[in-house]
Every structure is written in C-alpha cells, then in structure tokens.
C-alpha cells in the first residue's frame, strides 16, 4: 500500500490495517533493508502467522508446486 497513499491519502494506521489484512493471505514476506516502523510491525505479525520471512531476494527458493497449481508463462504462437 506504500504508493497508494499518493492516490488516496489516509492516516498511517489505516494503511497498516490494510497491510496486515493482506498479510493474512500471504505465504511469506520479504523484509527490505531500511528503517520502517510499519515493516517491523508487519514482520511481528508474520511471525504470529508463522509465515516464512526472508530478508534477501537470494534467500527465496525457486518456485515449487507444493501441491498447488503454478502459473506458467504464456507462450507465443509460432509464425
């Protein structure tokens, strides 16, 4: 929701509530470098939800099916 504020300004707490609601639908979270009270609160919530937490893109494993369907890149028809 970081840039949504530019289009539809709301108080900080409103955006945090939305972020935490979205987080409850996630499997994992990536914490980017930098100071952020909101991101720190999101990590605390992610731990409560037992989400995988990554701190670097290099730590994220390749996509694995885990029994769920995976999206395939669309292929272009040959000419």
């Amino acid at each position: 929701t970081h840039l949504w504020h530019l289009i539809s300004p709301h108080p900080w707490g409103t955006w945090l509530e939305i972020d935490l609601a979205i987080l409850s639908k996630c499997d994992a979270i990536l914490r980017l470098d930098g100071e952020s009270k909101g991101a720190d609160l999101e990590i605390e919530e992610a731990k409560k939800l037992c989400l995988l937490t990554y701190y670097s893109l290099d730590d994220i494993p390749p996509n694995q099916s885990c029994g769920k369907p995976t999206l395939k890149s669309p292929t272009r028809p040959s000419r």
Side-chain angles (χ1 to χ4, degrees):
T1 58
H2 178 69
L3 296 176
W4 290 1
H5 184 71
L6 296 174
I7 298 167
S8 179
H10 289 355
W12 180 83
T14 301
W15 293 118
L16 183 61
E17 286 179 30
I18 294 169
D19 291 346
L20 296 179
I22 292 169
L23 190 62
S24 71
K25 305 295 181 193
C26 296
D27 296 320
I29 187 170
L30 172 63
R31 173 61 166 96
L32 302 175
D33 285 338
E35 188 175 319
S36 171
K37 181 180 178 182
D40 292 341
L41 292 170
E42 290 170 359
I43 293 298
E44 286 179 26
E45 183 66 17
K47 289 178 181 178
K48 290 177 190 173
L49 296 170
C50 297
L51 298 182
L52 297 170
T53 303
Y54 299 103
Y55 294 90
S56 166
L57 288 174
D58 295 330
D59 295 337
I60 300 174
N63 186 17
Q64 298 177 6
S65 161
C66 298
K68 298 178 185 176
T70 57
L71 297 175
K72 295 184 179 182
S73 298
T75 56
R76 295 182 182 188
S78 57
R79 293 183 180 201

